[in-house]
Amino acid sequence: MSLGSFASDGLDSKRQRALPIPPASASMKTFTPDSSIASDVIPSANYGDRAKGRLPDMIVLHYTGMPDVEGAIARLCTAGTDVSAHYIVLEDGRIVQCVPEAKRAWHAGVAFWAGEEDINSCSIGIEIANRGHDWGYPDFPLRQTAAVIALCRGIMLRRKVPSHRVLGHSDVAPSRKKDPGEKFPWHSLANSGVGHWVQPAPIVRGDPLKLGTISDDVRHLQQALARYGYAIPLNGKYDATTMDVVTAFQRHFRPARVDGIADHSTLTTLQALLASLPNEAMAAAR
Ligand SMILES: [Zn+2]
């Protein structure tokens, strides 16, 4: 049997829809995927060089946040939109690469994590096909989650990305972004060795810190969030930025209640995460 007939046989090829390749991408130079599990390459016009030859040691996960994947692929690949990502993971688990990992894709925008502002230069961006909060926010199918895990594991191994540097877009841009959101199964990723996560502390009654509070406890909360990597003022005021960061933290690490209020469960979960960070991460945060 020739490889060609093997590849075109079987259930999968009949079940899968053809990939929507934007016209401009069809004429662009293709490349060999960096990940052995990427099934397709749709070259994007939107990328540049990583600043000062910075090597990626972070993964930023996104959702596409558009009603259909055709529109998302067109947006991420067509010149002039000024956005892109290294990979797109479709709902059926197929993985498309759009930008070579060596290049700087344009996925994070204005962002910050652990002292770095040029997140695009130090990260690999992965877009996960999901309509997002504005379009009904469906669950992430298991097949898609499994593909994200496999893709991330390969990148982590090849690029030496530590688990605590696998983050969501909302972590690095908390006032602007919600993706991949509180439905994203971070616990499943962590069970497979992808991302830093601890079991969230149970939600109990108590006196929480919230918008408007001014106190040393707020300052300690801000210091703890900053130590973990978030961009947050250390002014002791529970201001709008602090609330945005607490909300982003909850979307990722305490998804049962996302309300921007620092309750006992949120504070305890944050302390447990800090306590379980590897030593080199703590050294970098000081
Ligand atoms: Zn995003």
Side-chain angles (χ1 to χ4, degrees):
M1 184 195 289
S2 76
L3 187 62
S5 67
F6 180 78
S8 63
D9 277 354
L11 255 181
D12 271 355
S13 61
K14 290 183 185 123
R15 193 167 57 210
Q16 288 178 349
R17 283 183 300 155
L19 282 170
I21 300 178
S25 292
S27 60
M28 283 184 57
K29 198 164 141 276
T30 188
F31 57 89
T32 306
D34 292 289
S35 167
S36 60
I37 58 167
S39 57
D40 302 86
V41 170
I42 301 180
S44 173
N46 307 326
Y47 64 89
D49 289 329
R50 293 183 182 277
K52 302 186 191 109
R54 177 81 162 81
L55 294 172
D57 63 356
M58 179 190 284
I59 296 173
V60 179
L61 300 180
H62 305 256
Y63 64 46
T64 50
M66 290 179 67
D68 62 73
V69 75
E70 289 79 4
I73 291 177
R75 181 166 141 79
L76 291 164
C77 295
T78 308
T81 65
D82 288 350
V83 292
S84 62
H86 294 92
Y87 296 96
I88 306 172
V89 181
L90 308 191
E91 282 178 301
D92 65 9
R94 271 184 296 176
I95 298 170
V96 180
Q97 187 166 3
C98 306
V99 175
E101 287 181 11
K103 296 295 182 184
R104 180 178 179 274
W106 302 340
H107 56 97
V110 176
F112 176 94
W113 190 258
E116 288 187 274
E117 286 185 346
D118 185 357
I119 298 302
N120 285 337
S121 276
C122 67
S123 66
I124 303 280
I126 300 175
E127 287 279 357
I128 302 163
N130 182 295
R131 296 197 299 278
H133 290 85
D134 291 346
W135 303 93
Y137 197 27
D139 291 336
F140 294 86
L142 272 177
R143 197 179 158 99
Q144 184 183 40
T145 300
V148 172
I149 289 170
L151 176 61
C152 286
R153 284 185 68 106
I155 295 167
M156 291 170 74
L157 186 69
R158 289 185 287 103
R159 299 280 179 189
K160 298 190 171 59
V161 177
S163 253
H164 60 273
R165 287 176 69 83
V166 181
L167 299 159
H169 198 187
S170 54
D171 292 313
V172 300
S175 294
R176 296 190 303 118
K177 295 293 173 179
K178 296 179 181 171
D179 59 319
E182 61 282 0
K183 282 191 178 182
F184 187 70
W186 288 105
H187 58 283
S188 298
L189 270 69
N191 285 342
S192 299
V194 177
H196 182 214
W197 204 77
V198 297
Q199 187 64 36
I203 296 173
V204 293
R205 275 179 201 279
D207 210 6
L209 304 174
K210 53 182 189 242
L211 193 62
T213 311
I214 301 175
S215 70
D216 281 344
D217 285 348
V218 174
R219 191 188 310 276
H220 295 149
L221 164 69
Q222 292 170 329
Q223 285 167 342
L225 287 164
R227 241 186 2 261
Y228 198 72
Y230 289 95
I232 188 165
L234 307 177
N235 56 13
K237 284 187 218 159
Y238 209 109
D239 52 14
T241 306
T242 301
M243 188 166 170
D244 289 343
V245 173
V246 170
T247 304
F249 176 85
Q250 290 170 333
R251 279 191 209 288
H252 187 159
F253 296 108
R254 210 284 306 270
R257 190 185 290 168
V258 179
D259 58 6
I261 295 172
D263 56 14
H264 184 265
S265 155
T266 303
L267 298 172
T268 308
T269 306
L270 172 58
Q271 291 302 339
L273 278 163
L274 283 168
S276 61
L277 267 182
N279 287 335
E280 68 268 20
M282 292 306 288
R286 275 196 287 270

